[in-house]
Amino acid sequence: MTSTGVARQPDGLCGLTGGEDLLALDILGVRFTVRWGAGVTAAEKDSMRLAWSRCAGVQEPAPAPPPEDRDTSPFTAAVAFRTLTDDGGVFRLRAASFEELAESLTSRLTLTAILANAGSLTMLHACGVADAETGAVVALVAKSGTGKTTASSVLARRYGYVTDETVAIRPDRSVIPYPKPLSVKQAPGLPKQQVGPDALGLLEAPARLQLRSIVLLDRVESAEPVAPVLSRVPLADAVLALIPDSSSQAAIAQPLQSLCRLIDAAGGVWQVTYSEARDLPAALEPLFRPGPVPEQEWTPVAPENGSDSRIPEGTVRRAACADAVTIGDDLLLVLEGAVVRLGGIGPAVWAAAGNPISLDHLTRAVREVHGAPQGHQAAVVRAVEQLTAAGILQRSGT
């Protein structure tokens, strides 16, 4: 058993089942079997076996997909998958080059595993590295093309490599490793090269992993090196930054509340502003150690509307939402899978409109919270118009 907790098979058999044309993988609990098409050479199959060796399947693999009856593209692969609860299915990939096929395979494997875990795991679009002694994981969140893979390749020479793509977190904050090949940019217009962590000399992560810190990567272009700066991100800003870079968070029960609880347990969210990835290992070192637990800054809000589905003429009512929290003076809502942030008189308007309410009564409710400065009635009218246009409030007939 290696330090990743993955039992390695003897050299030459790692990740293979039933012959050299089959590659068995276990990704976030989803089991895959890849059958290469006739156009893929033995050397190319071997390169993928090595690149994916840290994800080699050790449980019963998915049934091998049938071979293609007719290969219409130079390079093909058929992939069967199954989860713990169902047999999944089969998808097929075709490409004009092996590099394009390998990149497409990485993307489809990742997407399939993410969709299979939607609603059960918090999955951050992040690279992850772990302390070799404690298993404490720092997740570094960033959009594609902003330095995430480069940060992974540098940090994982000092810390254990967890993933360069998806940090998958269970409700108890334990992390499921996804030590996939790193997708390395080549010349413009060329597919990304899939390079295994062993080929890059990246350290293995320990078997037990627990999320310790969440960091937003903020890489700046500069003629002169910029020393890394760590700064704490305000909670509302952190939630809004993480939601777009999380996969299927809206499918989780109480998506905002669960994310706020995770952020609290991680000691808040940090941002590191830097110019050179080589400066990151030392700068992030304090974040692998336990820190003070911040006071809870958020309050859950019951998002239910009134039971009457009819909206009488001359009234408005708030639209149904999946979750809601207040953070300071702001209200955050999950509405049709998107997060909306309301400030000013918006939270008071939303709170008063749980049941159908007339504009006069709504104005009185807002006045009780914010007083009656000059122009407050017109402000309520504008707010209602804006919130209705955004789908946050509903009128009769909407």
Side-chain angles (χ1 to χ4, degrees), residues 84-129:
L84 296 176
T85 57
D86 61 64
D87 288 337
V90 175
F91 60 85
R92 300 182 184 277
L93 302 172
R94 296 175 174 83
S97 68
F98 173 70
E99 291 77 12
E100 182 183 332
L101 179 67
E103 181 181 26
S104 180
L105 176 66
T106 297
S107 297
R108 285 295 300 273
L109 292 174
T110 301
L111 178 61
T112 302
I114 286 173
L115 292 176
N117 285 287
S120 60
L121 300 175
T122 294
M123 293 173 283
L124 300 178
H125 188 219
C127 65
V129 289

Side-chain angles (χ1 to χ4, degrees), residues 268-345:
V269 172
W270 295 83
Q271 177 174 284
V272 60
T273 301
Y274 71 104
S275 61
E276 301 294 334
R278 64 173 179 266
D279 297 326
L280 289 175
L284 298 178
E285 193 275 334
L287 299 185
F288 289 89
R289 300 192 298 267
V293 178
E295 293 186 9
Q296 183 169 313
E297 301 177 52
W298 59 278
T299 303
V301 179
E304 295 83 1
N305 293 325
S307 58
D308 185 5
S309 61
R310 185 176 59 87
I311 306 175
E313 289 291 337
T315 66
V316 296
R317 185 185 64 193
R318 67 192 187 207
C321 68
D323 198 12
V325 298
T326 58
I327 302 174
D329 294 330
D330 290 334
L331 173 68
L332 271 58
L333 310 170
V334 176
L335 192 69
E336 296 183 351
V339 178
V340 178
R341 182 181 193 172
L342 299 183
I345 64 172

Side-chain angles (χ1 to χ4, degrees), residues 9 19 42 45 49 65 73 92 134 140 168 198 251 272-273 279 324 335 343:
Q9 301 179 48
K45 295 172 189 175
R49 175 182 63 81
S73 299
R92 300 182 184 277
T134 66
L140 299 117
D198 291 329
V272 60
T273 301
D279 297 326
L335 192 69

Side-chain angles (χ1 to χ4, degrees), residues 354-372:
N355 289 298
I357 187 171
S358 68
L359 187 59
D360 286 343
H361 285 89
L362 185 59
T363 302
R364 293 175 196 168
V366 173
R367 190 163 55 226
E368 290 177 2
V369 177
H370 291 278

